[in-house]
Each structure stands twice: as C-alpha cells, then as structure tokens.
Amino acid sequence: EPLTPKDRMAIPMQEMPSQDPMVRRSNMEEVAIGYTPAQARIEAERCLQCKTAPCVKGCPVSINIPGFIKAIAEGDNKKAVDVIKESSLLPAVCGRVCPQEAQCQAPCTVGKALKSVDQAVSIGRLERFVADWEREQGLVEKPTVKPATGKKVGIIGTGPAGLTVAADVRREGHDVVLFEAFHKPGGVMVYGIPEFRLPKAIVQKEIDTLLAMGCELRTNFVIGRTRKITDLLEQDGFDALFIGTGAGLPRFMNIEGENLVGVYSANEYLTRSNLMRAYDKERAQTPIFESEKVAVLGGGNVAMDAARTAVRLGAKEVHLIYRRTEAEMPARVEEIAHAKEEGVIFHFLENPKRILSDEKGWVSGVECLRYELGEPDDSGRRRPIAIEGSEFEIDLDTVIVAIGNDSNPLIRQTTPGLDTNKWGNIVADENGKTSLSRVFAGGDIVLGAATVILAMGEGRKAAKAMNEMLAKD
Amino acid sequence: MNRILEKKQLSETVFQMQIDAPLIARERRAGQFIILQLCEDYGERIPLTIADADADAGTITIIFQAVGDTTKKLAQLNAGDDIAALVGPLGTPTHIENFGRVVCVGGGIGVAPLHPIVQALKAAGNHVTIIMGARNKELMILEEEMRAMADELIVCTDDGSYGRKCLVTEPLKELCEQDPRPNLVVAVGPPIMMKFCVETTRPYEVPTQVSLNTIMVDGTGMCGGCRVTVGGETKFVCVDGPEFDGHLVDFDNMINRLGSYKKQEEAHKCRCMPDNP
Ligand SMILES: Cc1cc2nc3c(=O)[nH]c(=O)nc-3n(C[C@H](O)[C@H](O)[C@H](O)COP(=O)(O)OP(=O)(O)OC[C@H]3O[C@@H](n4cnc5c(N)ncnc54)[C@H](O)[C@@H]3O)c2cc1C
Ligand SMILES: Cc1cc2nc3c(=O)[nH]c(=O)nc-3n(C[C@H](O)[C@H](O)[C@H](O)COP(=O)(O)OP(=O)(O)OC[C@H]3O[C@@H](n4cnc5c(N)ncnc54)[C@H](O)[C@@H]3O)c2cc1C
Ligand code: SF4
Ligand code: SF4
Ligand code: FES
Ligand SMILES: [Mg+2]
C-alpha cells in the first residue's frame, strides 16, 4: 500500500551516524559514518517525488534527484547511482562536501512544509550512501573508452574540474595527459579538505578509475615552469588543453605581525597536515606547530577545516574569529555544528587589529576589535563596522589566516594572449573556451574560490565543447 | 626517473649530485631551484638550488650540505638510486645584464647557488670579483670552478686555515671603498652573512642582491610559508624570489622564521626510508 504524502512527511528525518565528538577530537578518521541501508531507505521514503522537482533546480549540475531517490526507496541502489552519474562524476565527494542546505536541499518541498531546511530530504547523504555502496560492493565500472582518435588533450591541474574533463574526454577515445604540480593528484580534495571530512581513499579511487581508462598522469610537473602552455600546443602535439589550476594563492590581512613565527595561511597549515601528513608524527617528516592556543581567522569551510585540524593536532584552545555573525558565515552548516561540538570557541563580530609578538618574534596573541553590523554591502551582507575603543587581547601561540584565496598568477604570467579579469581569474565563455584557441578553463581558476560541484559542472561543459571541437577537426 | 648519475663528496658534509632530469635541465635558468622528496607518502619537500645543468645531456647538478633529516638521507643515496619526487625549475630566474663590475659573495654552501649566477653574469660580459668564505679550509667548495670563471677571486676563512683570516664583509668593504665602486653586489650564503653584507654595502649605496632560503612547502605560491618582508611588503620567496634587493629585506624576521621548527627537526626520526626502520 503506497504511502500518502502525509505519511511521508511524518517520517522523521534520519540523522547521520557520527563519531562521538569527544572521540573524534583526537583522530583523523571520518566524522560522519554514513547511513545504514535501512536508514537510507527510510530517508528516501520521505521524498514526495514532486512533479516540479524544485530540488533539481538547486543542484548546480541538475541531478535527477527524485529519480535517484525513488530507486533507493525501491531498493535499487545500482540504478540510483547510475541516475546520479548521468550528471555528476563525483557523487561520493559531492555527497560529502556540497553545501546542500544552500543548494539542492534549500528548495525541497518537505523542508518548506516542515518550515526548516534542516528537515528537507537529506539528498546529499543519500547521494553519498549510494556512491559508497557502489564502491564498497566493488561495482564501480570503468567507463568504456571509444576507439583511439589519435588526438591528444592536456589537462592542467587534477582537482575536481580537471578530473572531470579527463573522464569525459578520454571516453571519446582521445589521449589524455594530466599535469599536476604536486606529487599527488586530487587538488584541494587532497591537500585542503581534511581526511576527517573526505577520506583520501575516495579521491584516489576516482584517480585509479581514470588511470584504468588509460589516462596518463604526470605529477611533479608545473605548467609555466617545467613546460609552458605554448610549448604544449606548439611543440608537444597537444590538440586541446584544459586549465583547472584552482585558486591557490592565500590572501593575508595586511595587519601588523602577520609574518611572525606561528602565523600560517590555512593553505599551509592544511597542506602540512593533509598532503604532507604532518598529523602522523611517527612517520611524516614534515613538521607542524604543536600549538596550545590557536586562533583561526575567517568563517568559511577553509576556516572550519583549519580549526578542526588544530583540535585534532592537540591544541588545548581553538578560537575561531569572524567579523560578522553566524548567519553570514559562508561555511556549511554541518561543519559549523561539528566544530562547535568539537569544542572550537566561536567569536562573532570580532576581528584582529594586529598580531602580538613575544620578545623572540613568535606569536603571543592577537589584539581584536569588536564589530557591529551596518548597512548591506555589494554582496548583500551587512557590512561589519569596528567599534572604536573596543580593543581586547587573546593569548595565543598560533594564528591561522583563512580569509580566502586568489588565483595563482603563474599560468597568467607565462601564457601570452590568455585573457584574465581584474581578479586574475581566467576569462572563459559558457563552454569554458578561453581567449586562446584550443585552450579551455574551468573551476576555481575561472570562478574564483567556489565549490567542488561547480568545478565539476564547469569541467563537464568544457569537456563537451572540447569533444565537439575535436570531432570537427 | 630522477636517477642519480654521479655523486661526489665535496667536504665532510657537502655533496654534489648529478641527476637525470631532462625537462628541468632544458628550462632552468640561473637562480632557479628544484624541490625534492625522498618518499612521496611521508617525505618532506625541500628546496635546493640548481647549481649547474647540461641541457644536452639532460642533467642537473645539486650541491647540498647534510644538515638535517632529509639532507642526511639524501646524502646516503648513491649513483643509480632514484629520487622519489623532483619538481622544477622553480622561482624567478636571476635578472642578468651587463652591469659592469659585479662582486659576488658566497658563504659556505652559498657558493653552490652562486655558481650559475656567476656563469650567467660572465656570459653577459660582466667583470666579476668573487669573494668566497667558509669557516675553515675543509668547508671550502667549488674553488676551482669559481677561480676559472672569476676575474678576481678572494678566499677567506674564519679561522685563517686558508686564504685571508677574516669574514667576507672585510674584502667586500674594501671593494666598496675602491674607485670605481662595484655596480652590483650579489651575496648568497647563511642569512646572517647576507645580513652583514647588506649592512656593509648600505653606506656605499651599492645595489645588493641576496638569495633567500626560507622554509618552503609547495614552491609554487600556494601556501605562503616562504613569505618574507621586503620593503614593508610581504613577498613569497618561491615565486617572487628567491632573489631580492637585500637593502629592503627584514633579515631578523626571516632568521626567526627559519627557526620555526627547530624543536621538531631535532626530534625527527623518520621511518620513511626502507633502510631506516
Ligand atoms: C580547505 C578547503 C575546504 C573546502 N571545502 C569545501 C567544501 O566543503 N565543499 C565544497 O564544495 N568546496 C569546498 N572547497 C572548495 C573546493 O575544494 C574548490 O572549489 C575545488 O576544489 C576547485 O576545484 P578545481 O578543480 O578548480 O581546483 P583545485 O581543487 O584547486 O585543484 C587545482 C590543482 O591544480 C594544480 N595546479 C595549480 N597550478 C598548476 C600548474 N601551474 N601546473 C600544474 N598543476 C597546477 C594544483 O596543485 C591543484 O592540484 C574547499 C576548499 C578548501 C581550500
Ligand atoms: C630556494 C632555496 C634554495 C636552497 N638551495 C640549497 C642548496 O643549493 N644547497 C643546500 O645545501 N641547501 C639549500 N637550501 C636549504 C635547504 O633547503 C635546507 O638545508 C634543507 O631544507 C634542510 O632540510 P633537512 O631536513 O635536511 O634539515 P632540517 O634539520 O629539517 O632543517 C635544517 C634547517 O633548514 C631549514 N629548512 C627545514 N625545512 C626546510 C624546507 N622545507 N625548506 C627550506 N628550508 C628548510 C630550516 O631553517 C631548518 O632549521 C635552499 C633553500 C631554499 C629556500
Ligand atoms: S551534487 Fe550537490 S547539490 Fe547536486 S544533488 Fe548532490 S549534493 Fe545536492
Ligand atoms: S523537492 Fe524534496 S521532496 Fe520534492 S522531489 Fe525534491 S527531494 Fe523529493
Ligand atoms: S613555498 Fe608555498 S608559497 Fe612559497
Ligand atoms: Mg627537515
């Protein structure tokens, strides 16, 4: 007997099983454990299968959400994952890290009816569930590769944008070479986002699939230094290139004391811990500060990751300082909640004025100002205004600056004729085409620091355009 | 990949290696460096200057002092061994032109990074005076190579065991007092030596270029760990440098930052290499 919409609305939202906060504070393992099969089916039953599917409009790559959820409800996980893969190549990643509450889950009818986006159907968790199920069952299939075309495509950067293009272009039978500056592929998914939120093995699995499809990977290869874009096109026989180099240039605040010993960019702190595995003090050679009192400056995902990493590395006190209020924080709601559970101390409407030094030139604290919210600025968020004379100090030994990234200028500086905008991002049209013939770009290098799913979506569009171009040659 | 073709010991703690790295050998210019790793899972990334290269043979030469964990492990490798990861050439190449009279000062292991710079300066037609300094005779490296290129070579040791018994700043000061003054000084060596070279040339207003050796991770401008204060502004040594106008560098801050991990470095016992369980 089919459930009525009323029955479905009465089903309680399935909570994500998670490691206990007190336990996970001292390990790097994944915080969210994932739905059980039974939970997944129950959660899937909550979906009303809305004719207009407002959720789909909230997903940047328009996954057929009611379609895949229906398959889960019917117990056909394989079908569910196949439906997702029509639109997304990285469901195990996006199911974990998408800001769902601002995307697919924001317009969900169930959430609206229950008057809270927290009560929406847990689309991301279900997406993760089926992607994990497929991987754990060993059912991930290597996509078929069409007969060789003899065309060669170079992909610069192995973040979500580059990996997506590699898969889509390789499927058409073109040779694919991926270039990566680091010694490991995966981009921010391996050097930035910590293990406790996105296990490296999941990203590695995606890369293994690409290699099994015959893509070539060249790590330790910096385009612009080891070889330039023009060399690849003019001498090395590449028929098309995709630039997906991300937004890897840390911003600092330009305040006094920013170069003291003990001040990190979040990029450096997270790279040391994740990519270089400094958290594994037994084995890793790369050192990281053994901090007692840390302040993280910023309010995005990067700031949450840095703060929660500091907790896990053994800091006794971790402060997160943000100059607006919690409502304006760009981080995923779940990350903020997890950070609080793990004991991160949040300071809203405060911002450092300068970083204080001890007599040896090491961080000893920050001097902060209190803020209030004024009129909305260009971004629509109310502008924080410093309250004069409100200075106060916090004692610290480490400061991590997580106020955003700009684009790395290396490719721009070494590629004549490649148009960039005033922020240094590469200019690309809706198909990812840049000002240079045969050169495409996408992801954070075009969008500015954005999200995994947007990078993937851009990659798909660019790959389509590249395949069309190569087919016409 | 990255096979060590030849290894030479230049002094008790200084080693020279020739490595098969054709792409880097082709692109590299004076002043640039590589980053290497001895193990991709747990090894750290350390920068070393490309002391020389042969584009035709596809080889680069590194010269390094075994000072700590990674460099000591590197020193244990031999011809025929591979270096797990090697990336480069990194950094902005040295600005080379015919300046006229150039004084190049190399202290200790700093003579190695100086080598390609002198090569390029000579090729551009400069008159080059080289001052080489070391604590003692045993630590003096590349003397023959430098003598072959230099228009004038001054050797000094702290203990007087070889050449003049003085610090490099003494002959540097004398040269600054001569007429004509040098058009440019290039100083490469321990930060404290560079700091004193800069203080020596400052009153004479002789432009002085230094090559900074800050702690690095990625070497591509991504982490900001290598940052220094130059003329009140923050610069990233791996992309904006490694060479800067020494008169503008905040050496005290840089020296402090180099000491960031002293505690951990001393405690490090790596289990990365198979022969070190
Ligand atoms: C700490 C952190 C947490 C985040 N959390 C989330 C989250 O929860 N959810 C979410 O959706 N998004 C999150 N993001 C953002 C998301 O990771 C990025 O938007 C996404 O990774 C961008 O993908 P990309 O492919 O454009 O580039 P990247 O992932 O940045 O990858 C670019 C790659 O190119 C390489 N490269 C750069 N220059 C060169 C060169 N010259 N030659 C060769 N290789 C080069 C880099 O080494 C890197 O591997 C987070 C970002 C960070 C830093
Ligand atoms: C651009 C550049 C070029 C260099 N060229 C040479 C060279 O040609 N020959 C040479 O012998 N040395 C060179 N160095 C210095 C060399 O990188 C360090 O000696 C080496 O990293 C020490 O590592 P370790 O593990 O052996 O010693 P550790 O005991 O770990 O460190 C010793 C000291 O080296 C510095 N150091 C540690 N880790 C790093 C790191 N990741 N990056 C940079 N410095 C670090 C710190 O000041 C530390 O106190 C260069 C450095 C830079 C930045
Ligand atoms: S990809 Fe992201 S936005 Fe789209 S359905 Fe999945 S979780 Fe939602
Ligand atoms: S809006 Fe919500 S309830 Fe409606 S189809 Fe989408 S997920 Fe299901
Ligand atoms: S080493 Fe990371 S920015 Fe220079
Ligand atoms: Mg070391």
Side-chain angles (χ1 to χ4, degrees):
Chain A
E1 176 156 343
L3 296 171
T4 65
K6 206 169 156 235
D7 296 336
R8 293 183 189 277
M9 303 263 286
I11 303 172
M13 200 252 308
Q14 297 299 297
E15 294 293 344
M16 178 61 111
S18 299
Q19 272 197 74
D20 182 88
M22 286 309 121
V23 173
R24 70 185 195 236
R25 278 180 59 108
S26 47
N27 71 48
M28 278 288 164
E29 272 130 61
E30 195 170 14
V31 168
I33 295 161
Y35 277 163
T36 61
Q39 273 186 303
R41 287 203 48 182
I42 297 171
E43 185 65 23
E45 298 281 10
R46 298 182 66 229
C47 172
L48 305 175
Q49 296 293 314
C50 313
K51 287 276 164 316
T52 52
C55 49
V56 176
K57 289 178 204 83
C59 169
V61 299
S62 307
I63 289 179
N64 176 357
I65 294 167
F68 94 78
I69 294 184
K70 185 155 187 268
I72 298 176
E74 289 166 355
D76 192 347
N77 292 339
K78 180 66 185 147
K79 181 169 166 207
V81 77
D82 288 343
V83 169
I84 295 173
K85 285 194 171 173
E86 287 164 18
S87 315
S88 170
L89 291 187
L90 301 169
V93 176
C94 295
R96 286 176 165 79
V97 306
C98 257
Q100 290 102 1
E101 71 276 1
Q103 296 182 355
C104 52
Q105 291 172 200
C108 170
T109 314
V110 174
K112 291 257 190 261
L114 297 173
K115 298 197 169 44
S116 161
V117 68
D118 297 344
Q119 293 298 315
V121 176
S122 305
I123 303 168
R125 292 171 183 173
L126 289 172
E127 180 174 335
R128 166 186 165 157
F129 169 77
V130 285
D132 286 356
W133 173 87
E134 185 196 36
R135 193 182 60 255
E136 282 154 17
Q137 302 290 312
L139 295 175
V140 179
E141 281 162 36
K142 183 181 88 180
T144 39
V145 173
K146 291 191 184 154
T149 61
K151 304 257 166 60
K152 190 158 83 163
V153 174
I155 291 165
I156 303 156
T158 58
L163 297 182
T164 304
V165 176
D168 280 354
V169 168
R170 179 67 193 136
R171 271 199 256 232
E172 290 303 304
H174 308 304
D175 283 345
V176 168
V177 183
L178 289 144
F179 297 99
E180 170 54 51
F182 267 126
H183 50 286
K184 291 224 170 110
V188 169
M189 298 184 292
V190 301
Y191 78 69
I193 305 180
E195 181 77 15
F196 58 80
R197 224 156 49 83
L198 177 61
K200 306 282 170 288
I202 288 173
V203 181
Q204 188 55 45
K205 184 77 198 166
E206 301 296 337
I207 287 147
D208 291 343
T209 305
L210 289 177
L211 297 179
M213 287 168 75
C215 294
E216 188 188 334
L217 172 64
R218 305 206 58 184
T219 50
N220 299 304
F221 203 113
V222 184
I223 300 297
R225 291 274 187 238
T226 316
R227 208 79 182 116
K228 299 194 172 61
I229 299 263
T230 35
D231 301 329
L232 296 176
L233 289 171
E234 289 162 17
Q235 295 173 38
D236 301 348
F238 283 92
D239 299 289
L241 297 176
F242 176 82
I243 307 173
T245 48
L249 188 80
R251 250 180 246 151
F252 286 92
M253 305 178 76
N254 297 316
I255 57 173
E256 186 186 323
E258 212 152 36
N259 293 346
L260 292 169
V261 181
V263 184
Y264 284 101
S265 75
N267 283 6
E268 181 184 0
Y269 194 72
L270 291 169
T271 300
R272 282 180 183 273
S273 178
N274 298 327
L275 182 74
M276 308 311 294
R277 306 198 192 190
Y279 68 83
D280 188 343
K281 288 184 190 138
E282 283 295 295
R283 286 186 286 186
Q285 279 179 303
T286 301
I288 196 163
F289 255 52
E290 283 156 22
S291 311
E292 298 265 310
K293 291 184 177 183
V294 180
V296 178
L297 316 179
N301 287 323
V302 184
M304 297 307 141
D305 284 345
R308 298 174 66 200
T309 297
V311 167
R312 283 161 176 76
L313 290 175
K316 300 214 166 51
E317 253 175 47
V318 179
H319 300 265
L320 190 127
I321 305 178
Y322 183 57
R323 62 196 180 120
R324 305 180 200 243
T325 70
E326 183 163 357
E328 283 88 19
M329 274 205 166
R332 296 178 71 223
V333 169
E334 184 177 288
E335 294 343 311
I336 299 172
H338 280 158
K340 284 184 180 167
E341 287 167 14
E342 289 162 12
V344 173
I345 306 157
F346 282 69
H347 299 244
F348 297 112
L349 292 168
E350 292 174 11
N351 206 34
K353 187 175 160 192
R354 63 193 177 106
I355 303 173
L356 307 170
S357 169
D358 69 8
E359 66 289 345
K360 298 190 328 237
W362 291 49
V363 170
S364 66
V366 284
E367 184 183 65
C368 288
L369 277 172
R370 291 187 210 284
Y371 280 65
E372 58 195 357
L373 290 183
E375 295 301 306
D377 64 11
D378 297 344
S379 71
R381 295 185 299 180
R382 292 175 64 193
R383 188 196 312 272
I385 301 166
I387 302 172
E388 241 177 273
S390 63
E391 284 88 348
F392 65 99
E393 291 180 8
I394 307 176
D395 287 343
L396 301 167
D397 54 30
T398 309
V399 173
I400 303 171
V401 184
I403 56 164
N405 282 301
D406 292 321
S407 64
N408 191 306
L410 187 55
I411 299 248
R412 176 175 15 124
Q413 285 164 356
T414 54
T415 315
L418 182 67
D419 287 354
T420 53
N421 66 18
K422 65 174 170 179
W423 299 284
N425 298 323
I426 296 178
V427 178
D429 71 10
E430 68 284 358
N431 295 316
K433 269 179 70 69
T434 69
S435 56
L436 279 181
S437 163
R438 306 193 160 270
V439 179
F440 296 74
D444 281 4
I445 188 65
V446 170
L447 300 170
T451 58
V452 171
I453 188 70
L454 285 172
M456 202 216 63
E458 293 236 306
R460 294 221 93 173
K461 276 190 269 175
K464 188 160 172 281
M466 292 167 87
N467 285 333
E468 280 165 12
M469 180 190 81
L470 294 170
K472 281 198 218 116
D473 276 357
Chain B
M1 281 268 274
N2 316 324
R3 177 144 306 168
I4 300 167
L5 302 174
E6 206 184 283
K7 176 188 178 186
K8 256 199 257 173
Q9 187 159 3
L10 304 185
S11 77
E12 193 179 286
T13 57
V14 177
F15 298 81
Q16 173 174 325
M17 282 177 179
Q18 205 182 52
I19 302 165
D20 180 43
L23 290 173
I24 302 174
R26 174 169 60 183
E27 297 293 327
R28 76 92 208 191
R29 309 240 301 277
Q32 290 188 298
F33 59 94
I34 51 101
I35 283 188
L36 63 76
Q37 244 179 310
L38 298 179
C39 161
E40 289 197 328
D41 281 330
Y42 295 102
E44 68 181 335
R45 298 168 62 96
I46 68 155
L48 296 171
T49 307
I50 304 169
D52 204 351
D54 183 336
D56 296 327
T59 61
I60 61 166
T61 302
I62 54 170
I63 297 174
F64 62 92
Q65 184 160 21
V67 291
D69 204 18
T70 302
T71 47
K72 282 181 181 165
K73 296 235 151 61
L74 181 61
Q76 286 166 19
L77 297 185
N78 289 302
D81 291 337
D82 291 335
I83 291 172
L86 186 68
V87 57
L90 301 171
T92 303
T94 312
H95 172 72
I96 299 288
E97 62 176 89
N98 191 344
F99 298 97
R101 300 177 71 82
V102 182
V103 177
C104 291
V105 188
I109 188 73
V111 175
L114 198 56
H115 182 261
I117 300 174
V118 175
Q119 263 178 344
L121 285 170
K122 278 308 296 174
N126 289 282
H127 176 281
V128 179
T129 303
I130 297 177
I131 306 173
M132 287 174 62
R135 280 208 311 280
N136 57 49
K137 179 167 195 276
E138 143 72 6
L139 295 173
M140 192 71 70
I141 58 165
L142 298 181
E143 189 194 340
E144 258 172 62
E145 287 84 347
M146 288 306 210
R147 191 177 299 281
M149 289 190 288
D151 293 290
E152 189 188 351
L153 182 83
I154 302 164
V155 177
C156 33
T157 50
D158 294 6
D159 67 353
S161 55
Y162 191 56
R164 282 173 64 173
K165 178 180 191 304
C166 64
L167 298 174
V168 289
T169 43
E170 201 175 290
L172 179 62
K173 184 163 196 285
E174 291 161 12
L175 289 166
C176 287
E177 277 166 354
Q178 273 175 19
D179 196 28
R181 277 182 198 165
N183 301 93
L184 176 72
V185 169
V186 179
V188 189
I192 194 76
M193 179 209 94
M194 292 192 279
K195 176 180 165 174
F196 284 111
C197 286
V198 162
E199 291 318 320
T200 304
T201 60
R202 197 189 300 277
Y204 304 97
E205 294 177 3
V206 178
T208 302
Q209 194 172 293
V210 292
S211 181
L212 303 184
N213 54 345
T214 51
I215 295 177
M216 295 190 179
V217 184
D218 58 304
T220 63
M222 191 279 285
C223 77
C226 62
R227 67 197 188 280
V228 284
T229 311
V230 181
E233 274 180 56
T234 293
K235 297 281 177 192
F236 289 6
V237 172
C238 69
V239 284
D240 300 321
E243 286 159 22
F244 294 95
D245 175 351
H247 290 145
L248 299 179
V249 172
D250 180 344
F251 278 103
D252 293 336
N253 176 244
M254 182 202 152
I255 291 167
N256 278 339
R257 287 183 64 83
L258 273 172
S260 299
Y261 301 103
K262 276 270 162 356
K263 201 175 99 197
Q264 288 97 322
E265 280 154 5
E266 267 146 39
H268 253 166
K269 261 192 238 91
C270 166
R271 285 156 207 164
C272 168
M273 305 291 291
D275 60 348
N276 190 16

